[in-house]
Structure formats: C-alpha cells, structure tokens
Amino acid sequence: MIRKKKCVAMLLAGGQGSRLFALTNNIAKPAVSFGGKYRIIDFPLSNCVNSGIDTVGVLTQYQPLVLNDYIGNGQPWDLDRSFGGVHILSPYQGKTSSDWYKGTANAIYQNIHFIKQFNPDFVLILSGDHIYKMNYSQMINYHILNNADCTIAAINVKKEDASRFGILNTKDDGTIYEFEEKPKNPKSTLASMGIYVFSAEKLYKYLEEDNLDASSC
Amino acid sequence: MKAVGIIFSNIHDNNVPELARIRTLGSIPFGGRYRLIDFPLSNMVNSGIDTVGIITKNNYQSLMDHVGSGKDWDLARKDGGVILLPPYGELNNNTLYNTRLEALKGITNFLFRADEDYVVMTDCDAVLRINYAEILEYHVRNHADITLVYKKRKAAPGELNETTFDLGKNNRIIGVNYKKELGSEEENIFTNIFIMKRTLLQNIVMDSISHNKNHFMAEVIASNLKSLNIYGYEHKGFYAGISSFQAYYDSNLALLDEKNRHELFGDRSVFTKIRDSAPTKYGNSSLIKNSFIADGCEIYGEVENSIIFRNVKVGRGTKIKNSIVMQDTVLGENCTIDCIVVDKNVTITDRKTLSGSSNHPFYLGKGIMI
C-alpha cells in the first residue's frame, strides 16, 4: 500500500489583481480582507477542507508576504497534516531553467512534481480570488460519473453580461464543444468559473505537450 | 473513511499483570520504539480514520504522556483527532466500569456527538497491521450489521481460553464460544476488532442501559446471532496477541523474523511518539546479531536475538541474549543476561549474570537496581 491522495487542489493565488487598484498595491488579491473577518482565500481554502480535500498547493507570485504569513502552517484550516496539508508554491530557480510563472498552465506545470508526490487520481484547479461556497466532492463525483478527462464548473450569468466572461458552449449532455473568451455575440450564458477537475494522467500529458509549444502560455 | 475509532486501552491489563501494574496495556513498550497502542492508532490513521476515542480506566498517566496531543499520529485536529475518554462515574455511584459494555455506557456522549456513519472498535492486545477501510468495504458488501475480525490460529503458549467463532456460509458467524478452552487445533479466534454502524452501537448501548446488560460478547453478540447479520473477517497477515507475559516475550522476538517484520511494518508507517534521541553508537568492541536496536543507545557489548529500546547503555564485555531491554536501562560491564524482560530505567551493575528460560522469561521491574 503506497500512500496516495484521491485529489490534490492547486489554488492559483499569484495574480496581481490590478483591477482592485489600491487594495492590491501591497498585497496579493487572495489576501485582501473581506466580510468583516475573512480574507478572500478563506473561501476556496475552506471549500477544500469541507469537501474532504486535505492537500492544497497555493501558487503565489505577486506580493506574497502577507499571503504566506496568513496561511502559515495551515492550522486554522486543519491543513497542518503530516502527509498532505497546505503548501506554498512560489516560483523557484531550477538547474536548467528559472522562470516566473508564465500563466496558469505554466504555473501548474512547474509544480508538477508537487502533484505527483501525492499520486492523486484527480487534480482540482482553483482560483484564489473567488468568493463562493461549493462542495467539490460533488463535482468530482460528477466527473467520475461522466468518465470525463476534464470538468469545468460553470455558472449561468445574465445574457447581457455574458460577453464579459469565458463562455462554454455545450451539447445537451453537458459536453463542451467550444470555449469562447468574451464573445461579442454569446451563444450561451454558461460562464466558466475557473474551477477545473482533471484526471491526473491527462493533465500531466497535456501540460507536458503544452510546455513544448512555445506559442502557448 | 466515514468511521470513528474507539480504542480500549485497559481491557486486557490482567493478561500481563507484571507490565500493566504501572501502566495501561496500551502503553506497554513493544518492538524497540513502540507502545502497544501505536498499532491500532496507526492502523486507524492509515485507514483514513481521523477521530479516535481512547477509553481508559486506571493508571493512564503513561498513556497520556505517550499520546499527548496526538500530533505524532497526525491526530492533533481542529475537529476530531484523538480524544482521551477517562472513566465516567455517576454522581452517586462512583464505581469504575468492569466490562466493555459498561465502558461504552460511559461514552454515550462521545458516540452521539460523532457524525461518522460507522464505528471501528479495537483493543490494544493485538499487534497487527490491518486496513479498516477494506473491512468496512467487506462489511457493506455483506450487508452486515456487525463484522468481527478473527485470526485462524493455534493457541499461543500459555494462552488458555479465548473467544472463538463457528462460521457458516460466507463467513457468517453462527456460533460464539465465549472463553473457550483452547486445544491443539486451529480455531477462529477473535482479535477484539469490531465494525458496525454507529447508530447500531448507540442502540445497543441504550438498550443495555435500560435492560441492565453488561456483557458485550454474551448479551449482545451471542444472543443476537439470528436477529443481526454478524459476519467474520479473517485477518491473514502477522498477528501477535498479548495474551500472557510469555506471549508478550514471544511476540517481541517474533519481529526478528524477516517475514513477520515485513508483514507488520512493510511499506506503511507505524507512528509513535518521537523522542529525538541521537543515533545509536556502536563501540569498537560491540557485536550485534539478529536484533532490533532503537535510537539513542550506546553499545559496547554483544547483543544477540534481542530487542533493545531507546537510550539503553550496554557496557564492555556485557552479553545480552534473547532478551527485551526497555528504554533508559543501563547495563554495566561484563554482565550476562539471557531470556530476561528488563523494564524501563533499570540499572544492572558490573559482573551480574541473570538468566531465564525461553519458555519462562524472567522480568525485572521498572526502575530497580541490581
């Protein structure tokens, strides 16, 4: 019996959050205070714990000091586990290449060893700047039920707002046949929430291919 | 895994009165760096159980000291984790419990407050590696109400009577022989591991309070074989039952066998309290054969077929054979010990010769000086 995790969550928390202007002058967007006693990252982190996911990698890049300090060893979220728990993943210097995270896919790719050490069946990719309550275990069950390679969480938005979002065009059974980023004439109102469940092996395969493709980021 | 664990730390103290006089059965040192409770606790953690109640009765200081916050088992949790359940006396009836069922009556609050669907109950008298998640799967597949784990084996030397099962089709238990006198043939001997729905255990406990039942095996299991689906689950790997002092001695030395060692430790961790002692120093004059030696020792003598715990000092010219030497014991120079169980903190001064026999090991109590 080799120790493994069913699911590892990767929480993207490195974005600059330039649209928040002064709020993110000195701290990363996920560390911005919210709702009296929280910071934004509390919501996705708590969702993970409440969904039974106890292994979370937090990818930081922009102004990480306050965020790192806030997460600490993860004890407030019961994420101070001896196998698993919360890990801060910052960009690092490597023997052959040293890079900042160039986009989300690259950030996950640079930390593929972190994921692989837990030998997970699924990888959940989350954003650190969303405020919502969601049970990811239901989403993972849906992913398994459909025998999917990737499942994307979506939310119905108003028709007039749809052109501000990444829109998923789906068939009747929910299969996505097209993704349109901020379409002028949206075909549907199903907006991607930026929450992805991947079957781990597929994710590794596509990330490795993507890394060879210089045009992608 | 949706189960809560309950460990009875005291229930077989009488099996090894020498060792349990000053501690619970669960806190008896075992195998070089462990205590008996490490095995059920680690099995639970490795099976995904993260709420464990430890039922105690008396002499549980050593147990509290060992388990602490539960951090070494990754059981220092915000919600759940390890919970020590000391005996619970009624205001006007200040007596301690005597049986398993009475002990359970004292933890009704713990049982009702848990939100897991299942309960895994185990004692500390069995040293084994087992995956409770697999047993739970088996339990659900059989539509069982209660699953009891047994080991098909012969009686150990000095083991007189145990609970055995008669099995019917698909391992359904059709007969319980309570404290059966063991002969020379193999029997399905109970390992004191139970799995059932938490609500069922609650009902059993509430029912036994109102009907004044006190005996789990006789009054709950044996008398309900027809009305409940009770199945047996065979444990196939290494098993050492601490049923007597002789069995304690034999099971320790059994770990030196490569096959047993692999089956018990294998590729899974057995967690224990970390002591952060320095690596063991083997002097030039030392000679070690077929032994377990924990960290923190200083060894200048000869050790053969023995289990040496942490921070033991063995002087020049001293020979240790077929013995179990617990932590912080000091042996002087030119001593010989053979077939001895030495408890903690014992001092044996120079040129002493002590010998038991492999079928009658001798015991040196905690803290004595010879």
Side-chain angles (χ1 to χ4, degrees):
Chain A
M1 287 180 284
I2 311 276
R3 293 222 281 179
K4 74 190 294 289
K5 294 285 179 189
K6 185 181 173 194
C7 180
V8 168
M10 298 296 273
L11 185 48
L12 299 157
Q16 192 176 344
S18 52
R19 283 171 294 173
L20 296 190
F21 302 107
L23 286 177
T24 52
N25 266 350
N26 300 311
I27 59 175
K29 185 153 62 160
V32 169
S33 298
F34 188 88
K37 59 175 285 198
Y38 305 103
R39 290 180 189 256
I40 294 174
I41 197 168
D42 285 338
F43 295 90
L45 263 188
S46 301
N47 284 339
C48 284
V49 176
N50 291 330
S51 310
I53 296 167
D54 67 359
T55 309
V56 185
V58 179
L59 298 126
T60 62
Q61 178 156 288
Y62 174 79
Q63 298 273 22
L65 178 67
V66 177
L67 183 62
N68 292 358
D69 207 33
Y70 182 66
I71 291 172
N73 72 348
Q75 193 276 335
W77 299 270
D78 203 24
L79 286 174
D80 53 337
R81 303 276 54 82
S82 60
F83 181 66
V86 69
H87 298 251
I88 305 273
L89 304 170
S90 53
Y92 56 90
Q93 237 176 1
K95 198 155 194 175
T96 50
S97 68
S98 309
D99 268 320
W100 293 106
Y101 294 148
K102 295 167 291 185
T104 53
N106 179 255
I108 304 288
Y109 175 75
Q110 288 201 38
N111 288 291
I112 211 161
H113 300 291
F114 167 78
I115 302 175
K116 281 182 175 171
Q117 67 178 330
F118 297 105
N119 193 20
D121 299 323
F122 306 104
V123 180
L124 175 68
I125 295 179
L126 304 168
S127 286
D129 56 357
H130 292 170
I131 292 153
Y132 63 116
K133 184 157 93 171
M134 180 167 169
N135 185 348
Y136 302 130
S137 63
Q138 285 175 0
M139 183 174 169
I140 293 169
N141 286 341
Y142 179 81
H143 178 88
I144 296 169
L145 197 71
N146 286 320
N147 204 10
D149 297 327
C150 173
T151 300
I152 305 178
I155 191 164
N156 256 321
V157 293
K158 283 185 198 143
K159 184 98 186 165
E160 58 267 32
D161 290 338
S163 56
R164 294 201 293 122
F165 294 94
I167 296 297
L168 305 172
N169 297 323
T170 60
K171 295 180 196 157
D172 291 342
D173 62 354
T175 321
I176 301 165
Y177 68 87
E178 190 182 31
F179 178 82
E180 287 183 294
E181 185 66 35
K182 300 189 178 110
K184 283 215 173 69
N185 301 305
K187 290 180 209 144
S188 93
T189 55
L190 220 47
S192 163
M193 294 171 71
I195 299 166
Y196 309 88
V197 173
F198 284 96
S199 297
E201 292 303 324
K202 290 282 179 203
L203 180 70
Y204 304 151
K205 176 172 175 277
Y206 285 102
L207 281 178
E208 272 151 24
E209 283 174 13
D210 176 75
N211 188 53
L212 299 174
D213 178 0
S215 67
S216 167
C217 65
Chain B
M1 185 170 166
K2 291 263 168 280
V4 58
I6 296 176
I7 298 178
F8 295 82
S9 65
N10 276 92
I11 226 160
H12 303 284
D13 285 2
N14 293 333
N15 290 3
V16 272
E18 299 91 338
L19 295 162
R21 190 177 59 81
I22 43 159
R23 48 170 88 90
T24 64
L25 189 91
S27 45
I28 291 177
F30 186 87
R33 59 195 296 265
Y34 304 101
R35 304 234 179 193
L36 288 177
I37 199 168
D38 290 341
F39 297 94
L41 262 184
S42 302
N43 282 333
M44 287 187 175
V45 172
N46 287 331
S47 310
I49 296 176
D50 57 19
T51 304
V52 182
I54 301 177
I55 297 185
T56 61
K57 185 175 177 186
N58 39 33
N59 285 341
Y60 53 88
Q61 279 165 9
S62 56
L63 187 78
M64 286 176 72
D65 177 51
H66 181 68
V67 175
S69 66
K71 190 165 185 298
D72 292 320
W73 295 264
D74 202 19
L75 286 174
R77 309 298 288 253
K78 278 197 81 176
D79 193 13
V82 69
I83 300 147
L84 220 59
L85 302 164
Y88 178 86
E90 296 286 332
L91 199 57
N92 302 317
N93 175 23
N94 232 335
T95 51
L96 288 179
Y97 66 84
N98 285 311
T99 66
R100 187 186 302 279
L101 202 48
E102 284 175 348
L104 288 169
K105 289 176 191 174
I107 63 154
T108 44
N109 276 336
F110 174 78
L111 278 179
F112 276 83
R113 223 181 40 207
D115 58 0
E116 286 84 356
D117 296 336
Y118 293 91
V119 180
V120 175
M121 295 203 293
T122 174
D123 299 347
C124 293
D125 66 327
V127 177
L128 76 174
R129 184 177 65 170
I130 197 163
N131 185 345
Y132 299 121
E134 267 171 34
I135 308 176
L136 184 59
E137 250 173 56
Y138 173 88
H139 177 87
V140 173
R141 202 164 58 234
N142 280 327
H143 303 287
D145 294 307
I146 302 177
T147 299
L148 305 172
V149 181
Y150 66 90
K151 173 80 187 168
K152 208 175 188 128
R153 62 179 177 94
K154 290 179 185 159
E159 190 178 26
L160 299 176
N161 38 40
E162 289 285 358
T163 301
T164 66
F165 300 135
D166 301 327
L167 299 172
K169 213 174 123 218
N170 294 330
N171 268 7
R172 178 156 178 175
I173 294 175
I174 51 172
V176 173
N177 315 298
Y178 178 63
K179 290 202 172 167
K180 184 182 179 183
E181 215 164 293
L182 297 176
S184 56
E185 63 280 3
E186 277 197 338
E187 302 255 19
N188 304 316
I189 301 176
F190 187 33
T191 60
N192 297 314
I193 296 171
F194 307 70
I195 287 193
M196 68 194 88
K197 270 228 165 79
R198 185 173 54 89
T199 46
L200 175 66
L201 185 61
Q202 281 173 7
N203 293 341
I204 289 171
V205 171
M206 296 323 278
D207 176 67
S208 56
I209 290 175
S210 50
H211 292 91
N212 198 25
K213 293 179 185 168
N214 289 320
H215 209 282
F216 206 96
M217 208 24 95
E219 291 176 287
V220 177
I221 303 284
S223 57
N224 281 313
L225 290 176
K226 291 218 167 68
S227 54
L228 292 173
N229 281 324
I230 303 179
Y231 281 83
Y233 177 94
E234 186 182 1
H235 171 67
K236 293 219 169 82
F238 174 77
Y239 168 91
I242 311 300
S243 53
S244 64
F245 185 68
Q246 178 74 41
Y248 170 79
Y249 173 79
D250 291 342
S251 347
N252 264 286
L253 296 187
L255 300 181
L256 297 175
D257 181 278
E258 192 54 42
K259 179 172 171 282
N260 294 340
R261 183 175 170 278
H262 179 77
E263 285 182 0
L264 183 60
F265 299 108
D267 50 11
R268 283 227 134 172
S269 314
V270 178
F271 305 100
T272 189
K273 183 184 174 188
I274 305 295
R275 240 179 103 162
D276 296 322
S277 29
T280 287
K281 153 89 180 173
Y282 299 93
N284 270 338
S285 50
S286 68
L287 181 68
I288 316 291
K289 284 182 194 159
N290 191 37
S291 296
F292 266 22
I293 303 200
D295 46 348
C297 299
E298 284 175 37
I299 298 185
Y300 297 96
E302 296 178 19
V303 180
E304 190 177 342
N305 294 332
S306 296
I307 309 278
I308 311 289
F309 285 69
R310 291 158 167 172
N311 293 12
V312 169
K313 295 191 172 51
V314 181
R316 233 169 265 278
T318 289
K319 291 191 171 81
I320 300 178
K321 273 186 180 173
N322 310 312
S323 295
I324 295 157
V325 182
M326 295 185 202
Q327 53 264 48
D328 303 318
T329 283
V330 177
L331 289 100
E333 299 186 353
N334 300 312
C335 304
T336 304
I337 65 168
D338 188 6
C339 299
I340 310 273
V341 176
V342 187
D343 208 315
K344 291 172 66 175
N345 271 319
V346 169
T347 307
I348 300 175
T349 52
D350 297 355
R351 294 180 304 281
K352 299 290 180 292
T353 300
L354 300 164
S355 180
S357 154
S358 64
N359 62 4
H360 198 102
F362 192 66
Y363 171 71
L364 297 182
K366 181 178 174 183
I368 63 171
M369 181 182 264
I370 291 177

